[in-house]
């Protein structure tokens, strides 16, 4: 297994659970045992915990875990690492993704690792001016923690609404949360560069900041696979069994772009739930079985005191609002296909909608769309 994040460690567990008795080596570039990333921008930044180590007994799994060892290259049957070559019969690629950084010579923090989180947390002190670039999931959670620490926070977002990449225009309903939390949200504002002491914006104006956090997305960590024969294209290209173009090589988690039967397209989903679920299918493929990976993707975020959950995949379908985002603390959005099937659901402080909506999407059941708009009616009764 290359990559000792959640997808890597779950691959080890899945392989052993299927009775595999051979040697397993887990390579991890970071110096840490596998840990969970979602709490980094939540409980870790908020100072509620320092460690998010995955609850997995590597000794009992009899895995040769090599921390601080990176893969540098791949040729058939051999992984080239920073500590020499490693022969394999089967390989799981689970190298995740790396944050994008912007231009400029100013200090710029990103949030991907536990080290990033602890370093950033130490800087979030009362009165510190913090500029967050990007009002996506990470930007919103960093802004939440920074305000909680008493920082003066400005969030600069190039799009017209927050969360636009994930939610499109629906993200507009979250914009008021920033002002209510005392965050200065600047929409439609592109950053030209990160400089000493703050940001320079595309219109030439500046934002003063002692701490700059860049949260503008990630790219799959696949540079080490260049020239290996593994097909790349927005990550590692796989079939519906998570098999790559090289025999005996599968890919899982943030780095994998798999073929989805359900959606009839390639999907690369940077969600915790994908890293959790895909390994079981991938190792089945390694062992010669024909399992198919085809989930309804699921994601959550905790921002400005709201639990935001999303399941499914939408692409221009009809929108139905459940509740009024302007006045209700609990609201949601359903995306509905032309033939009245739920394709995606957004649930804000409505966890039951998420659970029931995800099930409806999985079943592909037709709905009474008229009832959907009534938030008092449970989704499963629509
Ligand atoms: P990763 O967790 O990135 O693990 C990959 C590992 O491989 C890394 O440790 C990396 O160092 C290592 N690696 C990379 N290249 C090499 C190499 N060449 N050799 C050896 N090792 C290498 N998802 C949600 O659903 N909900 C959330 O609320 C949420 N919050 C998040 C908050 C933060 C701050 C972050 C960063 C992510 C969050 N996510 C969330 C996304 C979720 O954490 C990821 O989808 C998940 O971590 C992906 O797991 P992975 O194992 O595929 O990749």
């Amino acid at each position: 297994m290359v990559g000792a994040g959640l997808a890597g460690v779950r691959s080890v567990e899945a392989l052993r659970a299927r009775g595999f008795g051979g040697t397993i080596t887990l390579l991890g570039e970071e110096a840490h045992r596998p840990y969970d990333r979602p709490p980094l921008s939540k409980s870790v930044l908020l100072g509620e915990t320092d460690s998010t180590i995955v609850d997995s007994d590597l000794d009992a799994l009899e895995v040769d875990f090599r921390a601080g060892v990176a893969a540098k290259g791949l040729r058939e049957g051999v992984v080239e690492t920073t500590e020499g070559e490693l022969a394999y019969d089967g390989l799981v690629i689970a190298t995740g993704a790396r944050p994008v950084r912007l231009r400029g010579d100013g200090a710029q923090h990103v949030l991907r690792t536990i080290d990033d989180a602890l370093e950033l947390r130490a800087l979030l002190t009362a009165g510190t001016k913090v500029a967050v670039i990007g009002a996506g999931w990470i930007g919103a959670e960093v802004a939440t923690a920074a305000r909680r620490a008493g920082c003066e926070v400005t969030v600069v977002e190039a799009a017209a609404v927050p969360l636009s990449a994930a939610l499109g225009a629906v993200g507009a309903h979250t914009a008021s949360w920033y002002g209510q939390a005392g965050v200065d949200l600047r929409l439609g504002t592109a950053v030209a560069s990160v400089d000493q002491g703050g940001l320079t914006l595309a219109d030439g104006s500046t934002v003063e900041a002692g701490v700059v956090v860049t949260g503008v997305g990630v790219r799959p960590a696949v540079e080490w696979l260049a020239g290996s024969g593994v097909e790349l294209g927005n990550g590692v290209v796989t079939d519906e069994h998570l098999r790559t173009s090289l025999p005996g090589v599968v890919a899982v988690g943030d780095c994998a772009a798999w073929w989805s039967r359900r959606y009839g397209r390639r999907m690369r989903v940077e969600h915790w739930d994908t890293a959790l679920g895909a390994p079981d299918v991938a190792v089945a493929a390694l062992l010669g079985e024909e399992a198919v990976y085809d989930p309804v993707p699921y994601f959550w975020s905790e921002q400005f005191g709201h639990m935001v959950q999303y399941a499914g995949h939408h692409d221009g379908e009809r929108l139905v609002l459940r509740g009024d985002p302007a006045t209700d603390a609990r609201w949601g959005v359903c995306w509905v296909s032309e033939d009245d099937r739920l394709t995606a659901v957004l649930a804000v402080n409505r966890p039951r909608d998420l659970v029931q909506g995800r099930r409806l999407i999985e079943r592909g059941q037709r709905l009474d769309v008229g009832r959907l708009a009534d938030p008092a009616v449970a989704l499963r009764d629509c």
Side-chain angles (χ1 to χ4, degrees):
M1 277 73 177
V2 180
L6 182 66
V9 74
R10 287 289 173 242
S11 299
V12 175
E13 291 175 350
L15 207 43
R16 288 293 185 227
R18 283 174 183 269
F20 177 75
T23 303
I24 305 179
T25 307
L26 176 63
L27 298 182
E29 184 180 66
E30 294 183 61
H32 306 287
R33 290 168 76 85
Y35 60 88
D36 264 331
R37 290 180 208 277
L40 300 183
S41 49
K42 306 174 182 69
S43 52
V44 174
L45 270 198
L46 291 169
E48 294 162 4
T49 183
D50 290 345
S51 167
T52 67
I53 298 287
V54 172
D55 181 19
S56 185
D57 188 342
L58 297 181
D59 294 334
L61 289 166
E62 294 187 38
V63 54
D64 177 7
F65 171 48
R66 304 194 192 169
V69 178
K72 294 191 304 179
L74 175 70
R75 54 179 204 273
E76 218 169 319
V78 177
V79 178
E80 294 151 17
T81 84
T82 46
E83 296 195 351
E85 297 194 337
L86 194 67
Y88 68 83
D89 297 311
L91 178 70
V92 179
I93 299 172
T95 42
R98 292 186 214 288
V100 172
R101 288 169 190 269
L102 297 181
R103 261 184 302 171
D105 59 7
Q108 140 174 211
H109 294 266
V110 292
L111 184 49
R112 183 74 196 177
T113 67
I114 181 76
D115 296 338
D116 294 338
L118 294 175
E119 194 183 304
L120 179 59
R121 186 175 79 187
L123 299 172
L124 299 181
T125 52
T128 299
K129 286 191 164 72
V130 177
V132 179
I133 309 171
W137 302 115
I138 299 284
E141 292 187 351
V142 169
T144 301
R147 277 303 294 150
R148 202 79 78 77
C151 303
E152 280 181 42
V153 184
T154 304
V155 175
V156 180
E157 166 59 55
V161 300
L163 304 175
S164 72
L167 302 181
V170 168
H173 297 303
T174 71
S176 61
W177 297 348
Y178 290 74
Q180 285 156 12
V183 173
D184 177 7
L185 173 64
R186 311 221 189 145
L187 295 169
T189 307
V191 171
S193 60
V194 179
D195 305 315
Q196 315 277 351
L199 310 177
T200 300
L201 305 178
D203 66 3
S205 64
T206 56
V207 173
E208 197 190 322
V211 175
V212 173
V213 185
T214 305
V216 296
V218 295
R219 292 208 182 94
V222 294
E223 63 292 336
W224 64 283
L225 292 165
S228 66
V230 169
E231 187 185 345
L232 301 177
N234 182 26
V236 180
V237 172
T238 80
D239 64 11
E240 60 192 8
H241 310 290
L242 301 172
R243 292 184 301 219
T244 72
S245 55
L246 272 193
V249 181
V250 294
V252 286
D254 279 13
C255 69
W258 80 90
W259 181 258
S260 165
R261 252 189 214 182
R262 182 184 299 278
Y263 297 111
R265 67 192 288 276
R266 202 161 288 294
M267 309 276 286
R268 194 176 67 75
V269 174
E270 297 153 2
H271 296 172
W272 182 88
D273 192 60
T274 308
L276 186 76
D280 202 39
V281 171
V283 303
L286 272 189
L287 296 173
E289 296 164 34
E290 286 283 294
V292 170
Y293 186 59
D294 206 13
V296 170
Y298 160 66
F299 180 87
W300 82 96
S301 168
E302 293 158 41
Q303 47 184 277
F304 305 114
H306 303 282
M307 173 56 98
V308 183
Q309 295 167 292
Y310 175 89
H313 174 72
H314 68 271
D315 189 11
E317 293 90 340
R318 262 179 303 165
L319 289 183
V320 181
L321 266 177
R322 280 172 64 76
D324 180 357
T327 54
D328 298 340
R330 302 168 67 246
W331 55 275
V333 175
C334 292
W335 282 263
V336 185
S337 66
E338 273 175 22
D339 61 354
D340 296 345
R341 293 175 215 276
L342 191 63
T343 59
V345 58
L346 172 73
V348 177
N349 304 314
R350 296 181 67 93
R352 271 196 204 131
D353 272 11
L354 189 282
V355 174
Q356 294 175 13
R358 196 179 187 190
R359 242 175 250 147
L360 290 175
I361 299 168
E362 276 163 359
R363 289 191 204 130
Q365 206 169 303
R366 287 186 106 114
L367 303 170
D368 178 344
V369 178
R371 286 166 69 77
L372 269 187
D374 182 353
V377 178
L379 274 187
R380 63 164 178 244
D381 297 330
C382 288

